[in-house]
Amino acid sequence: MAEQKLVIEHREQLWSLLVEAAQIEHMIMCQYLYACWSLKTDPDEGLTAEQADAVARWEETVTGIAIEEMLHLALVMNVMTAIGAAPTLSRPNFPRHSEYLPPGVEFALLPFGTDSLTHFLYLERPEGMERVDAAEFVPAAPPPEPVVGPEVMPRPQSFLTVGHLYRGIEQGLSDLASRLGEPVLFVGEPRAQATPERFRWPQLIAVTDLASARAALEEIIEQGEGARGDWRPAHYGRFFGIWNEYQKLREQDPSFEPARPVIPGFTQQPYDIAMPQPQPTEPVTREVAELFNLGYEVLLQVLTRFFTHTDETDEQLDALVNAAFGLMAGVLKPLGTALTRLPFGPESPDHTAGAAFEMYYQMGNFVPWRNAAWVLLCERAAVLARRCVECATRDGVPETVGSAAAAAAGISEQLAGHVPQNLRPA
């Protein structure tokens, strides 16, 4: 099926499509981490040696792909910043598709298995390849009408593959650069860019002109669907390899289940979803689930401040980057994996909990003034550290909560060190 041309006649249409791209990368990343953390890793979980070896390799592969999705999100943010548009990390809650995305682009948090792998292959498929999504992903509405004529206000446009979205953005950048001139289009502050040196990602590209913008988008396309049709080393090819090995092991042993029976552990009914979502009733599970969501919120706040900072020093920008990596590895991963071992509650006796990546509100941004923004950020990081320490002392809490508490305390102290003494949390 031929995809319709994406229309980008003015900067706001480009900005709108970049927001869609950011939401896609953000939600895909969460899906991959959820599936990855659901995998069985303990020796008493009923896996044979061959199965355990395969699961360990899958965990490593999916983790690597999720990290590359974080890179893609940073590249999209760089393109947005370069054209003078404020990046956003806000997104809808799972399970649903965003009103800002075509109806066929849907997301849900699924444990590792047939449905999640089918869904991942569908999302990562190269442009022009036909695949069927997992059964639970049924578009709830027809695709939007094509943009025609000189429409002033941006609105969702239809695309079937992520690759097509990025190629449309790339063409739009070229067209606008020709019409406006590169200096006018790429009006963003170069210092606001996420650089490979600061983030320690060689593939990260600072965007300052059309050539670097194209390079950033090509990096995303090549990692996702493959360069020039060779999808084997790309995300699609790596998932396809996992799929084949998974099917072979299932044929050998139909009872093989590589993942724990997790369901997302919401701690409130999501504000943007009408259908009731399950909430864990086990007190420890509920507390750890809320800690995860709090840590996730602080991570988004740290990244938001970095991508929209004003007069931060180099040391403060480094502190934000270090805090982001520390939160991901030292807080979210141990809490996310701990949840998958905790019971959901008597109403779901056969399930454990999973990280819901819950958005409790529509995230905005901090005020431009640095001190005010950092005071709010440090206060929230201090709340996270304090709550982690309190939770770690409870009976029945996994040991990994203690390691998350230590990491959160270090991050809180590090951030507070960049705030005037009289403005630090008591």
Side-chain angles (χ1 to χ4, degrees):
M1 180 186 299
E3 298 204 55
Q4 68 185 42
K5 182 180 183 297
L6 297 178
V7 176
I8 301 177
E9 294 292 334
H10 47 76
R11 195 187 305 256
E12 283 69 21
Q13 285 175 324
L14 176 61
W15 188 355
S16 176
L17 288 172
L18 286 167
V19 169
E20 293 186 34
Q23 287 197 354
I24 288 173
E25 301 296 354
H26 192 167
M27 298 183 82
I28 285 178
M29 177 187 68
C30 294
Q31 286 186 138
Y32 293 169
L33 290 174
Y34 184 91
C36 192
W37 292 338
S38 76
L39 286 167
K40 296 175 179 176
T41 56
D42 296 338
D44 61 347
E45 293 189 276
L47 300 182
T48 67
E50 181 185 12
Q51 292 168 348
D53 180 65
V55 168
R57 283 186 281 102
W58 298 344
E59 193 273 340
E60 182 179 3
T61 299
V62 178
T63 297
I65 293 174
I67 290 172
E68 288 179 353
E69 296 297 347
M70 298 175 198
L71 168 66
H72 297 179
L73 182 56
L75 289 168
V76 172
M77 294 293 168
N78 275 355
V79 177
M80 261 197 278
T81 301
I83 67 166
T88 175
L89 289 167
S90 192
R91 59 160 184 79
N93 274 297
F94 297 96
R96 59 180 290 177
H97 70 270
S98 169
E99 285 83 355
Y100 302 103
L101 296 172
V105 184
E106 299 185 66
F107 302 94
L109 298 172
L110 302 172
F112 188 98
T114 299
D115 286 353
S116 59
L117 287 174
T118 300
H119 183 52
F120 299 164
L121 285 166
Y122 178 81
L123 290 175
E124 297 281 9
R125 71 196 188 282
E127 190 176 352
M129 178 182 286
E130 294 289 339
R131 283 200 73 96
V132 177
D133 204 348
E136 56 261 59
F137 297 97
V138 179
E145 290 295 322
V147 173
V148 292
E151 295 190 22
V152 175
M153 302 304 294
R155 61 180 175 86
Q157 301 187 52
S158 183
F159 53 87
L160 297 178
T161 61
V162 176
H164 181 74
L165 168 63
Y166 282 115
R167 289 188 175 91
I169 290 172
E170 187 175 1
Q171 184 60 52
L173 283 165
S174 298
D175 293 343
L176 287 177
S178 297
R179 188 177 312 139
L180 301 174
E182 281 192 55
V184 177
L185 178 59
F186 295 98
V187 72
E189 172 58 51
R191 192 170 180 271
Q193 292 288 304
T195 63
E197 297 78 19
R198 179 155 275 140
F199 276 77
R200 302 182 293 279
W201 259 332
Q203 306 97 320
L204 188 55
I205 297 167
V207 177
T208 55
D209 55 18
L210 183 58
S212 54
R214 283 174 170 166
L217 298 176
E218 285 301 319
E219 182 70 28
I220 297 172
I221 294 170
E222 290 189 12
Q223 283 191 355
E225 66 176 50
R228 296 173 295 280
D230 183 9
W231 46 258
R232 287 171 295 180
H235 293 182
Y236 180 84
R238 282 182 270 173
F239 276 126
F240 193 68
I242 292 175
W243 168 266
N244 286 333
E245 188 175 18
Y246 170 74
Q247 292 300 323
K248 180 181 177 181
L249 290 173
R250 291 276 290 181
E251 289 171 5
Q252 295 172 356
D253 179 5
S255 67
F256 170 50
E257 289 292 347
R260 303 179 185 105
V262 296
I263 53 178
F266 290 93
T267 60
Q268 293 181 16
Q269 172 63 27
Y271 74 94
D272 55 346
I273 296 180
M275 182 179 296
Q277 298 300 305
Q279 299 181 31
T281 53
E282 288 287 343
V284 168
T285 306
R286 188 176 183 87
E287 188 168 5
V288 174
E290 187 170 58
L291 276 183
F292 178 91
N293 290 329
L294 175 57
Y296 175 59
E297 178 200 61
V298 175
L299 170 64
L300 297 186
Q301 290 176 339
V302 165
L303 291 173
T304 294
R305 185 59 193 177
F306 177 87
F307 282 106
T308 57
H309 70 262
T310 53
D311 61 342
E312 270 80 350
T313 65
D314 286 339
E315 291 75 17
Q316 288 170 327
L317 295 179
D318 288 338
L320 291 173
V321 173
N322 291 335
F325 283 120
L327 285 162
M328 286 186 277
V331 177
L332 297 190
K333 183 177 181 180
L335 293 179
T337 53
L339 274 172
T340 66
R341 295 171 173 84
L342 293 174
F344 203 86
E347 70 287 351
S348 299
D350 298 326
H351 291 95
T352 57
F357 295 91
E358 187 166 358
M359 305 286 285
Y360 291 94
Y361 54 91
Q362 192 74 18
M363 281 194 67
N365 199 350
F366 296 102
V367 295
W369 301 280
R370 174 171 46 85
N371 271 352
W374 277 70
V375 166
L376 269 63
L377 180 59
C378 290
E379 282 181 4
R380 203 58 171 161
V383 170
L384 170 65
R386 184 168 62 251
R387 293 293 298 272
C388 282
V389 170
E390 292 170 356
C391 180
T393 63
R394 309 236 196 282
D395 292 337
V397 172
E399 291 182 5
T400 50
V401 176
S403 69
I411 292 165
S412 175
E413 184 177 356
Q414 175 197 37
L415 292 174
H418 294 276
V419 173
Q421 185 69 45
N422 64 314
L423 296 178
R424 296 181 189 180

